[in-house]
Amino acid sequence: MDKQRLTLTALTLLPLAVACGTQPGSGSSSVGAGSTPANGVHASPVTGVHWTVDSLTVDGKTRKAPGSAYLRITEDGRVSGNLGCNGFGSTATVKGDRVDFGEIAMTDMGCQKGPMSFEESLGRTFGGGAMTTEVKGDGLTLTTDAGDRVSLTKENDASLYGTKWTVTALGDENVSRSLPKGVEGKAYFVFDKEHGTLSGSLGCNHASARATVRDGHITLGAAKTTRMMCDGSLMDTEKTLLGLFDGTVVYELDHRSLTLTSANGDVVSAVAGE
């Protein structure tokens, strides 16, 4: 895995690592299965779909995937996704019911031990040679010749509005860190289109503000918050999130992932909840 790892800066220079369909302020778009893109390559049931990784089975042992893990293969063989901690890009050759991934290029973000361990196993599985594909309904199973399996589920795009966006990581353009233990799942926000507001939890206190969405940007008013005191890790997360308010942030919506970048370079990553 170390030989495959690249820094985030290097990854963004590689065409194969560009997340297809990802644009500032918009969701994903892809050609549906069964269609024929301009390059004449016929779609496979596994291409043009955002597949959420559910679990990984290696040597008979099954592990549940982190919520951020996903895979997307375009009809022209470009691959993007997340291995559980880091994003990755690659290429794929799809022939019949077989898919073969090329060399994997990864970002280099530090995450907690669990997601890092999972992504190392998943990366080895994707890079271990051709895999057999089996699509049943909204489910996809990728199986290696040795019998290891990756189980995935088709997932529809989330709307910016009305979705509970759970904060998963904080950082900047170069480094992203998962929320500390005890904070995970506690910070979230919801955009209300009708009332033009954002509301949610900063991890400790609840907050709300005016929110105007336009041209890939969100202008947030001053935050109205409750006044509870919590432990250090919760308050540290809250302080970072409060920095988004009373200013304008750039947003990028990709399927069920949302990234907010403030004027001072702070990056907040969130995923769609139930």
Side-chain angles (χ1 to χ4, degrees), residues 79-160:
V79 176
S80 61
N82 185 289
L83 295 173
C85 172
N86 282 277
F88 76 99
S90 186
T91 57
T93 301
V94 181
K95 292 184 178 180
D97 66 347
R98 301 279 282 179
V99 58
D100 192 1
F101 295 99
E103 183 177 357
I104 295 175
M106 297 172 57
T107 57
D108 195 13
M109 299 184 291
C111 299
Q112 295 180 354
K113 184 177 180 180
M116 290 292 288
S117 173
F118 182 91
E119 81 165 23
E120 289 171 0
S121 296
L122 183 58
R124 283 194 295 268
T125 303
F126 282 152
M131 308 175 76
T132 300
T133 68
E134 182 179 11
V135 178
K136 288 186 177 181
D138 288 339
L140 167 66
T141 302
L142 303 177
T143 306
T144 68
D145 291 341
D148 297 333
R149 302 189 310 278
V150 183
S151 297
L152 311 95
T153 301
K154 178 181 179 180
E155 199 166 37
N156 295 323
D157 293 347
S159 170
L160 176 67

Side-chain angles (χ1 to χ4, degrees), residues 51-71:
W51 297 104
T52 295
V53 179
D54 297 323
S55 64
L56 171 66
T57 301
V58 176
D59 296 331
K61 182 178 180 180
T62 300
R63 299 172 61 185
K64 184 178 179 180
S68 58
Y70 75 91
L71 171 69

Side-chain angles (χ1 to χ4, degrees), residues 200-255:
S201 171
L202 302 173
C204 175
N205 285 281
H206 285 79
S208 63
R210 297 292 301 174
T212 302
V213 181
R214 183 180 295 112
D215 299 329
H217 296 75
I218 302 172
T219 300
L220 296 172
K224 298 178 181 179
T225 69
T226 55
R227 300 292 182 180
M228 296 185 295
M229 292 298 296
C230 300
D231 63 37
S233 58
L234 286 168
M235 296 303 291
D236 288 344
T237 298
E238 179 165 301
K239 181 179 179 180
T240 299
L241 293 176
L242 278 172
L244 299 176
F245 292 86
D246 204 14
T248 299
V249 299
V250 176
Y251 81 96
E252 185 176 282
L253 177 58
D254 179 21
H255 185 62

